[in-house]
Amino acid sequence: MTDWATIDEIRERPPGCGPIWPVAAEPAAPLRQQVFEAVRSAGQISRAEMAKSLNVSPGTVTPIVSDLIAEGYLEETQATEAPSGRGRPPVALRVRPEAGYVVGMKLSDEVHTAVLVDFAGEPVADAMLPLRDPQKSMELRLNEAEALFADLLGQSGLAREQILSVGLGLPGVIDAGGRVIWSPVSDRRDVPLRELAEARLGLPVHVDNDANLLTMAELWFGAGRTMSDFCVVTIEHGVGMGLVLNHRLHRGAGGQGMELGHTKVQMDGALCRCGSRGCAEAYVADYALVREAGLALRRPHSAPLGGTQATLEALFEQARAGNETARAIFHRAGRYLALILANTANLFDPSLIILSGSRMRYDYLYAEEVLALMRDWTLNEAPKIEINAWGDHVWARGGAALALERVTASLIGRGAP
């Protein structure tokens, strides 16, 4: 039977950040990088404990730790408590936060977000920029990204030279080279966004689909840190999906996989914003609900139609107040959500599916009826489902995780055996 839980019911998060690998796992990274990541994922850890976690001898990691300390990436600190509870606590290792900084950003349909984090993954500053111009030119998107970047530097007092990399996410189809094949936030297709952003910001930039960023946030900071396999399904302006296999984000051969929102659920069905018909998100995403909201909200005493957010809030209030048309809209969306989740479970058999995005506060989308349908349509035992209605900045934190992952491999793993 499916276990449906809210984020408040999830176990207490361990300290540190980044995936927590089991001893038996064999990450494809040099030992030098494994040592560093074991320290960062633990928050702080003794040399002996760290060697044990990597299943190597303390003597093997000693010279590596010495090098990482000398290079300014790790530092010694006093452990929080002695193992026996008596005596002086032993010396522990932790990441030196000021070893470097990265920025994560998400460009969206209505509001852009950004965060700046230190090398230990701790947030230093965040920024938000509501969209005021309805144009969708990539030049305008880059101007907005540059404004967010300047805001973060101003808040933190850091110089541009102290920022090592930027992780940038946006909805749409993004290839492995950071080229935007299609995005609803751009009026152009086939845009070399990574190259354009690097020229504008003067820094290495890594571009990815926003659902992958949210999955990175779960993998580095949330419910997926200790899990080898899980899915994240996002429902907001569109429907997205991220897939983690063996503690790593899976993007497909060309980086364009996991486009769950654009799998077909109805032949020649509703028009999707990608230009095709019958896509899953055309029945579940924001614009799908707004498209049908007019009939329900024309009734007396209903909230006036406005932007997407105002319309959705009004529709939800009408559903809660007993408006049968409004309830029917959410009911239909819930059935399609059950189909999406069942298809995901049948394809990938994940141990956990995390439903994330601000629409998760609309509980009509995940009522017991939706769960029952998902169970009926899943061939094997249905996976556990967790709800995570993180705030807007979580997407940007996923961008920061992407930047940290790439910078770590470049700086720490370089030249290592």
Side-chain angles (χ1 to χ4, degrees):
M1 180 172 178
T2 305
D3 182 3
W4 192 280
T6 67
I7 200 66
D8 293 331
E9 296 169 337
I10 301 172
R11 60 191 179 281
E12 184 179 351
R13 302 286 182 247
C17 78
I20 299 176
W21 294 77
V23 174
E26 297 181 0
L31 184 57
R32 170 185 162 95
Q33 184 176 337
Q34 293 180 49
V35 167
F36 177 83
E37 290 177 340
V39 174
R40 183 163 58 193
S41 67
Q44 70 169 29
I45 190 171
S46 70
R47 286 170 172 81
E49 291 172 327
M50 184 261 293
K52 183 178 180 181
S53 73
L54 296 176
N55 199 25
V56 297
S57 68
T60 302
V61 301
T62 296
I64 296 176
V65 168
S66 297
D67 286 345
L68 291 173
I69 291 175
E71 294 169 20
Y73 295 121
L74 296 181
E75 62 184 9
E76 293 182 329
T77 184
Q78 193 174 55
T80 53
E81 61 181 24
S84 64
R86 297 177 298 175
R88 182 179 179 181
V91 171
L93 298 168
R94 69 178 181 185
V95 172
R96 183 171 170 265
E98 59 271 23
Y101 302 87
V102 301
V103 166
M105 292 187 188
K106 184 207 175 182
L107 305 181
S108 184
D109 303 72
E110 295 185 344
V111 59
H112 304 324
T113 55
V115 297
L116 190 155
V117 306
D118 62 30
F119 215 51
E122 292 298 319
V124 175
D126 61 69
M128 181 178 290
L129 180 64
L131 272 65
R132 298 182 176 88
D133 193 325
Q135 296 184 67
K136 294 186 176 183
S137 76
M138 191 56 76
E139 183 69 19
L140 180 59
R141 297 289 87 88
L142 289 168
N143 290 342
E144 292 159 347
E146 196 169 17
L148 279 169
F149 187 82
D151 189 349
L152 293 175
L153 292 184
Q155 290 183 53
S156 64
L158 296 172
R160 184 182 297 260
E161 293 72 25
Q162 292 175 272
I163 310 301
L164 301 175
S165 182
V166 176
L168 177 63
L170 67 163
V173 181
I174 321 294
D175 74 11
R179 180 176 289 271
V180 178
I181 309 303
W182 168 83
S183 173
V185 303
S186 172
D187 57 6
R188 293 169 51 201
R189 291 176 180 253
D190 199 27
V191 179
L193 181 57
R194 180 184 62 81
E195 297 175 12
L196 295 173
E198 287 184 342
R200 183 68 70 91
L201 299 176
L203 291 165
V205 176
H206 309 284
V207 182
D208 209 340
N209 172 272
D210 60 352
N212 283 341
L213 293 195
L214 193 61
T215 306
M216 288 289 287
E218 293 287 1
L219 182 62
W220 276 65
F221 307 108
R225 292 190 62 203
T226 61
M227 304 196 69
S228 63
D229 303 274
F230 66 92
C231 288
V232 174
V233 174
T234 66
I235 302 175
E236 287 200 330
H237 310 296
V239 173
M241 174 184 159
L243 174 66
V244 169
L245 298 175
N246 192 26
H247 302 276
R248 291 189 182 87
L249 183 66
H250 179 73
R251 296 179 173 87
Q256 303 172 46
M258 307 304 111
E259 285 294 340
L260 181 65
H262 300 288
T263 56
K264 306 306 178 190
V265 295
Q266 185 74 43
M267 295 294 292
D268 302 318
L271 181 65
C272 177
R273 60 180 178 171
C274 74
S276 186
R277 288 188 175 275
C279 296
E281 75 168 43
Y283 296 89
V284 179
D286 287 3
Y287 66 88
L289 298 179
V290 169
R291 188 159 52 193
E292 300 185 44
L295 180 62
L297 298 182
R298 279 199 295 268
R299 296 190 174 191
H301 311 300
S302 65
L305 290 174
T308 297
Q309 185 61 39
T311 302
L312 289 173
E313 292 294 342
L315 183 66
F316 185 53
E317 288 304 316
Q318 285 292 303
R320 295 182 66 180
N323 183 323
E324 291 300 326
T325 303
R327 285 186 173 184
I329 291 171
F330 281 106
H331 172 77
R332 182 186 187 218
R335 286 179 61 85
Y336 276 104
L337 176 59
L339 176 61
I340 291 169
L341 295 179
N343 287 343
T344 300
N346 289 331
L347 280 170
F348 303 109
D349 189 28
S351 57
L352 171 69
I353 296 178
I354 301 172
L355 275 175
S356 193
S358 58
R359 297 308 159 256
M360 288 303 98
R361 66 179 178 273
Y362 299 148
D363 53 10
Y364 280 97
L365 286 178
Y366 52 92
E368 176 56 35
E369 178 186 358
V370 175
L371 279 180
L373 284 174
M374 176 192 164
R375 288 194 292 270
D376 289 343
W377 295 338
T378 301
L379 291 176
N380 299 312
E381 183 177 357
K384 181 178 180 181
I385 304 262
E386 288 179 358
I387 306 302
N388 193 343
W390 295 59
D392 286 332
H393 282 96
V394 67
W395 307 78
R397 288 194 77 188
L402 173 64
L404 279 175
E405 179 187 68
R406 301 298 172 83
V407 165
T408 300
S410 174
L411 294 179
I412 309 298
R414 70 186 192 280

